[in-house]
Amino acid sequence: MCGIVGYIGKREAYPILIKGLKRLEYRGYDSAGCALINGEGTLSVYKTKGKVSDLEAFCSDKDCSGCVGIAHTRWATHGEPSSVNAHPHYSSSRKLALIHNGIIENYADLRKKLERKGFSFQSDTDTEVLVQLIEYVRLSHTPALPLLSAVQLALRQVVGAYAIAVLDKDTPGEIVAARKSSPLVVGIGDGELFLGSDASPIIEYTDKVVYLNDGEIALLRPDEKLKVVNLSNVEVTPEVCTLDMELGDLEKGNFPHFMLKEIFDQPACLRACMAGRLSVDRKNIILSAVVDHKERLLAARRFIIVACGTSWHAALIGKHLIESFCRISVDVEYASEFRYSDPVISSDDVMIAISQSGETADTLAAVELGKQKGAFIYGICNVVSSSIARATHTGSYIHVGSEIGVASTKAFTGQVMVLTMLALALAHEKKTISEEEFGKLCTELGRIPAKIEEILQHNDQIGLLARIFTYARNFIYLGRGYNYPVALEGALKLKEISYIHAEGYPAAEMKHGPIALIDSEMPVVVIATKNELYEKVLSNIQEVKARGGRIIALVTEGDTTISKLVDYCIPLPETMECLTPLIASVPLQLLAYHIAICKGKNVDQPRNLAKSVTVE
Ligand code: M6R
């Protein structure tokens, strides 16, 4: 939700800011803007509705010189997407310019208070209130406060979430940045400093970063050591970390879209996810979190998994895996509902928080709630050192590399892979799985990447199939058991990038209502692999067929029974039932991708969405 970039040093800031914004565009693309201080000390703000490329076009005839700058790409919360509501926002004197990611919850009260003091506002945003508040605080002291102190005092009045960066025309040699509940990273170069909502705008300049913590304010001056203070003005020693990020993940390579690249990356990503954890030869799975916290995890009365969106679908698969293999009861909760549901949590519960970005506000809040109530928190995140990863007691990264496409693909299979390894490692410790079955599963897990490679060879066929269904207005996805969450995920992928209405159901639920929707216009995608529930799914297929539905079935290679019944088949390599989600989700990702492409949609940046949902 909104991306922030900043630079101060000896180079021209503008190209660094634009490149950084492009990297962060996945976080929002309603409008973009930048503020620069040039050699003469002029502070200029340029902003426009639309994408970063629109900002570039807008700036093409402007003076964008200067070695100090901040820039923003917006996902609108308060105020429609427009150039007036775009960031940066000036203060009334036009001496300050500010960018913000987050939501100022008490902005209406603050705005009224400032209006009474004579401030007027140009935009409908909560952000403009913040920059005016900083100016007000600053000027209400004699002499006027330094920017850092004004930001500090102003933020004490603010309720809500923010990552901000502020420029001051009167002190052109510094940027002040602060965070609470929205991520902010400072990159430390040689005589230059960088800012980013994540490390992607920074990685090619330096691998030394500081992740700001909640309530911290940083003073960026290029020739001085980074100064970090908290809201009470106590100086904090910043912890400098070395980045673990591949530049290649941030580029599309030879693929037309990040989403397609990320779908094709899955075999390599899953190999990376298993590396050092799964030993096929020794038939063992070692997760350091399980080794370090074995007693606590095995003593759990129950597991509660909290997540949103795709991560929630992975959670449903995790529930099935942990309950089946470990015989521990698991509740799966939407983090957004959980945090307000006055949940019953006790100190013998283990909470698993799943989040690709590690920044989802609702999931982070659920983690904080779980911690307050004494639960032990296990994080499954992709982004290293993200807020959720840092807030948990332990965890396992999925290690699939940066995911840029807004529609999650490789993160989903990475999450399912970690959950599978977690369930198996715990079951092995608890001895609720036989050595023989455990060994078989270890061997089969090791084969999953190669099986996904086989599926990826059907990409062109799936592309042709997509053409047939481009004009469908609705879709139904059906699955049972482990494949019910796969059906939900397939439907989510389609709706978020093609804007076709799609619903996922457990196949047997059809006759309790949704079957009324079936007619010859309704494509139905059925995950119908050979497993314990195969015969039942076969009956569900017959029921759809009898009502004229058009069926696309995912079947186990060599299945001739279903292929005779349905309209189109996508073959999947045979695997063990509990591992089917790892492979069955891949053709559904491709189907959604190709349908969206046929419809001419922007698959990497679908409308109204952002990759990282750092607001409620
Ligand atoms: O970063 P997270 O995994 O916490 O994100 C959760 C959801 O916002 C995310 O999965 C969303 O549903 C994706 N757009 C799905 O493709």
Side-chain angles (χ1 to χ4, degrees):
M1 302 262 125
C2 301
I4 283 182
V5 196
Y7 175 77
I8 186 160
K10 293 180 186 64
R11 311 186 210 203
E12 282 299 307
Y14 178 75
I16 296 172
L17 298 179
I18 291 293
K19 199 166 190 184
L21 283 187
K22 287 186 176 164
R23 295 256 166 88
L24 291 177
E25 206 165 20
Y26 71 88
R27 301 176 68 88
Y29 28 84
D30 290 332
S31 62
C34 61
L36 296 148
I37 301 181
N38 70 11
E40 283 91 56
T42 307
L43 170 63
S44 309
V45 168
Y46 305 120
K47 52 188 189 172
T48 184
K49 184 179 168 184
K51 302 197 174 217
V52 179
S53 53
D54 297 305
L55 177 66
E56 272 184 294
F58 180 75
C59 288
S60 58
D61 57 352
K62 311 279 187 303
D63 171 18
C64 291
S65 63
C67 302
V68 188
I70 54 176
H72 186 269
T73 178
R74 178 171 187 245
W75 186 86
T77 57
H78 295 61
E80 58 168 13
S82 67
S83 45
V84 173
N85 289 334
H87 301 207
H89 289 280
Y90 273 127
S91 61
S92 285
S93 69
R94 296 172 85 86
K95 285 190 171 180
L96 306 184
L98 178 144
I99 53 175
H100 167 221
N101 168 29
I103 289 183
I104 307 302
E105 288 170 16
N106 60 339
Y107 85 103
D109 289 347
L110 292 171
R111 181 168 169 149
K112 273 188 217 139
K113 188 171 125 185
L114 290 163
E115 278 169 343
R116 282 199 294 273
K117 305 268 179 210
F119 281 83
S120 59
F121 291 83
Q122 312 299 315
S123 76
D124 307 318
T125 63
D126 51 339
T127 304
E128 194 185 1
V129 174
L130 194 49
V131 69
Q132 301 279 39
L133 178 66
I134 294 168
E135 175 145 296
Y136 167 67
V137 168
R138 181 170 204 205
L139 299 179
S140 47
H141 287 74
T142 317
L145 286 176
L147 181 62
L148 177 71
S149 310
V151 169
Q152 197 176 43
L153 290 182
L155 289 178
R156 288 191 201 162
Q157 298 183 44
V158 164
V159 178
Y162 52 79
I164 58 168
V166 199
L167 289 187
D168 175 3
K169 185 178 183 310
D170 288 343
T171 47
E174 64 186 38
I175 300 176
V176 172
R179 82 153 265 179
K180 184 181 163 230
S181 304
S182 294
L184 203 51
V185 189
V186 182
I188 303 183
D190 185 10
E192 54 186 357
L193 292 155
F194 305 82
L195 264 182
S197 292
D198 66 29
S200 61
I202 299 173
I203 178 73
E204 65 199 85
Y205 309 105
T206 175
D207 64 352
K208 297 280 169 282
V209 294
V210 171
Y211 293 92
L212 292 185
N213 293 306
D214 275 354
E216 289 181 351
I217 307 169
L219 177 65
L220 281 68
R221 288 181 173 155
D223 296 320
E224 291 177 20
K225 214 167 144 257
L226 179 72
K227 179 176 177 178
V228 180
V229 294
N230 65 20
L231 289 176
S232 317
N233 204 26
V234 175
E235 196 154 341
V236 178
T237 309
E239 189 193 337
V240 181
C241 311
T242 303
L243 279 178
D244 171 21
M245 190 181 238
E246 295 289 330
L247 200 52
D249 283 339
L250 306 173
E251 312 285 347
K252 284 193 283 236
N254 293 326
F255 288 91
H257 302 99
F258 278 108
M259 182 177 176
L260 191 63
K261 172 177 185 272
E262 288 160 4
I263 293 172
F264 273 79
D265 274 352
Q266 287 175 109
C269 292
L270 294 185
R271 287 187 179 107
C273 177
M274 291 186 284
R277 293 166 163 174
L278 170 77
S279 165
V280 174
D281 297 342
R282 278 180 282 118
K283 309 244 179 301
N284 204 5
I285 295 171
I286 296 175
L287 289 178
S288 55
V290 174
V291 173
D292 295 347
H293 303 280
K294 191 167 76 183
E295 280 76 29
R296 183 69 185 80
L297 294 170
L298 290 177
R301 189 177 60 94
R302 71 167 171 168
F303 281 68
I304 310 164
I305 315 186
V306 290
C308 300
T310 287
S311 301
W312 186 82
H313 297 153
L316 293 178
I317 298 167
K319 169 184 165 75
H320 204 139
L321 288 160
I322 295 170
E323 289 191 336
S324 301
F325 290 112
C326 311
R327 309 312 298 159
I328 301 173
S329 154
V330 182
D331 291 341
V332 174
E333 304 277 355
Y334 282 116
S336 52
E337 288 298 309
F338 181 79
R339 60 187 291 194
Y340 293 114
S341 64
D342 192 14
V344 179
I345 310 171
S346 67
S347 54
D348 46 13
D349 287 330
V350 168
M351 176 185 275
I352 302 180
I354 308 180
S355 174
Q356 185 286 130
S357 60
E359 300 294 347
T360 299
D362 287 320
T363 311
L364 184 56
V367 164
E368 297 299 350
L369 182 64
K371 267 166 96 176
Q372 274 165 29
K373 302 223 174 192
F376 183 74
I377 321 283
Y378 193 119
I380 298 182
C381 296
N382 188 31
V383 178
V384 175
S385 291
S386 53
S387 301
I388 294 172
R390 288 186 294 150
T392 49
H393 296 119
T394 190
S396 305
Y397 284 114
I398 61 175
H399 288 313
V400 298
S402 299
E403 190 180 65
I404 309 288
V406 165
S408 188
T409 53
K410 62 179 183 174
F412 175 72
T413 45
Q415 290 164 346
V416 175
M417 179 57 87
V418 164
L419 286 161
T420 309
M421 291 192 290
L422 174 62
L424 293 177
L426 285 176
H428 198 221
E429 293 289 353
K430 206 172 168 215
K431 305 206 183 324
T432 44
I433 188 169
S434 69
E435 283 297 330
E436 190 194 350
E437 194 182 5
F438 183 73
K440 263 206 254 169
L441 277 156
C442 288
T443 307
E444 187 58 17
L445 260 185
R447 293 182 182 139
I448 291 294
K451 295 196 175 183
I452 294 178
E453 272 155 2
E454 274 182 55
I455 294 168
L456 292 171
Q457 286 171 15
H458 298 303
N459 181 37
D460 291 346
Q461 283 151 264
I462 297 173
L464 293 175
L465 192 57
R467 286 199 205 165
I468 302 170
F469 290 100
T470 301
Y471 300 101
R473 301 191 52 200
N474 300 285
F475 258 84
I476 287 180
Y477 286 70
L478 301 177
R480 297 194 72 163
Y482 281 106
N483 290 326
Y484 159 52
V486 176
L488 293 179
E489 176 58 10
L492 177 63
K493 285 290 84 85
L494 186 70
K495 60 189 149 193
E496 71 181 327
I497 58 170
S498 72
Y499 320 143
I500 294 174
H501 171 241
E503 297 294 338
Y505 290 104
E509 273 298 300
M510 280 292 286
K511 49 187 160 310
H512 299 291
I515 201 160
L517 295 169
I518 305 290
D519 63 16
S520 59
E521 301 286 297
M522 178 65 85
V524 181
V525 178
V526 189
I527 303 132
T529 46
K530 284 258 169 70
N531 60 34
E532 225 184 309
L533 292 168
Y534 177 78
E535 296 297 333
K536 311 249 178 232
V537 175
L538 203 56
S539 309
N540 300 139
I541 287 177
Q542 305 269 20
E543 288 155 14
V544 173
K545 233 22 244 173
R547 280 140 188 104
R550 293 155 79 201
I551 300 183
I552 304 167
L554 267 54
V555 297
T556 307
E557 254 161 15
D559 182 332
T560 48
T561 314
I562 291 188
S563 51
K564 281 187 202 135
L565 269 179
V566 302
D567 301 82
Y568 306 96
C569 267
I570 302 174
L572 297 179
E574 199 168 348
T575 189
M576 293 167 83
E577 183 172 351
C578 66
L579 306 184
T580 323
L582 288 165
I583 61 170
S585 48
V586 177
L588 301 187
Q589 296 164 351
L590 286 171
L591 184 65
Y593 169 82
H594 286 294
I595 291 178
I597 292 295
C598 291
K599 287 177 79 81
K601 304 299 179 201
N602 184 340
V603 292
D604 283 339
Q605 295 174 348
R607 71 181 180 204
N608 304 340
L609 291 173
K611 182 81 183 153
S612 183
V613 185
T614 54
V615 295
E616 278 198 66

